[in-house]
Amino acid sequence: MSNVPKVTCPRTAPVPGGPVGRAVSAAAVDSRTPGLHAATSRRAVAANDRPTISFELFPPRNPDAAPRLWATIRELETVQPDFVSVTYGASGKTRVTTRALVRRLLRETSLNPIAHLTCVGTSREEITTIVGEFLDEGLRSFLALRGDPPTDQSDWEAHPDGLQTAGELVELLREIEAQRCADSPSQAVRARVRPLSVAVAAFPRGNHATGGTRAQDVASLLAKQEAGADFAITQVFFDADDYLGIVAEAREAGVTIPIIPGIIPTTDPARLLRVQELTGVPVPHDLLDLLGSADDDLDRHRRGIRASVDLVNGVLDGGAPGVHLYTFNQHHAALDLLEGAHLDGGARTAPDLASWPQDTAPARSTRD
C-alpha cells in the first residue's frame, strides 16, 4: 500500500476576485462613445475592495463572427474582469465551440473563464465526459444550470439517464472532482492550489421557464448551496428592488453564498424586448419611453447608459458584491456602463455628468 497520505479536494472555492484594471491606450479610449470621458469625481476604494466585475460571452455562431468576438474580448480584458462566463447552448449544441472558446481564453488571455453547463438532453455519463474535457483543458470554474429546452421542444424533459435539477448538477461536479483527486495525489494537490468553483443561477422575479415564484427560487437556491454551490449570478432584472428583495429573502431562508446581480446595459430597445420575450422579465415602460424619445442613436446610447448606471448604483449601494454584465458579445455599452459607475478600475476617465440632461442624469452613488 502506498505511504502517500490521502489528500482530499476542497469542497468550495472563494468567489473570484481580481486587481483593479490596468491602464489602456489612448486609442482604446478614443474608440469609445464621445462625451463620456471627461473627468469627474471617482469612487475611492482600495484595490481589494473594488466590486467584482464580470461579463457573459457566447461562442461565435459562425467563423465570420470570431474576429469581432475577439476584438470584444480584448477590449473587455483591459478592465481586468474577475471572470467571464461562456454560454452553452441547449442540448449541448455549442459544446465544441464553447470548449474551443474556453480553451483559447485560458491559453491566450489573462481572463478567468467560467463555462456554462446544463442538464438538457445529456446523460450523466455524457456530462461526466464533458466536465472531464473542460478540466483537462485547465478550466476550474463552472456555472451549473438546469438549462432551457431546445427551440423545437416546448416542455423541459430530463434525459432518461440524466439529471433533473441544477442542484444535482452541482453535486455531480463535486463528485467528479472528488474522484479525480482520489485517483491522483498530484491532482489533489493541484486542486488545493486552484479549487473547483461552482456558480449557479438565481431569479429575482422567479424562474419564468419553470413557472416558479421567487419564493420557490429561494428554496432552489438553498438546495443548490447545500449541494456545494459557491455563489450565484442572477437573471436579468430592471429594478434594484427585485435584486435586493431576493437577496433579503434568501438570507432569511439561510442562503449565505454571494449573489451577484446580472445586468444588461439598457441601450438597445429591440434587444431589451427580445430579452423580455426569452426570460419573461418585463421591460419597464418608462425605460422604453426614455429610449424611444431619444434624438438619435448616440442620444439613445447615453440615455441607456445613464439608466444602467442608476441600476448598478442601486444594487451596489444595497450591498451587492459586484456586477455581471450580459454583453451579447459587444464591448461598447458594457465598458461605458462600467466607466459611468466608476467600476473600470481607473483605467478610463469618468463620464461627463455635467453634460447630461438633468432629467436623465444618474443619481450620484452614496459610495462616491
Side-chain angles (χ1 to χ4, degrees), residues 65-78 329 331 335:
R68 293 191 298 274
L69 170 61
W70 277 92
T72 287
I73 289 171
R74 293 306 181 188
E75 289 287 344
L76 297 178
E77 192 178 14
T78 63
N329 284 6
H331 68 274
L335 294 184

Side-chain angles (χ1 to χ4, degrees), residues 192-211:
R192 290 285 180 178
V193 177
R194 297 182 62 215
L196 185 71
S197 173
V198 182
V200 293
F203 300 85
R205 297 178 63 94
N207 190 341
H208 175 74
T210 63

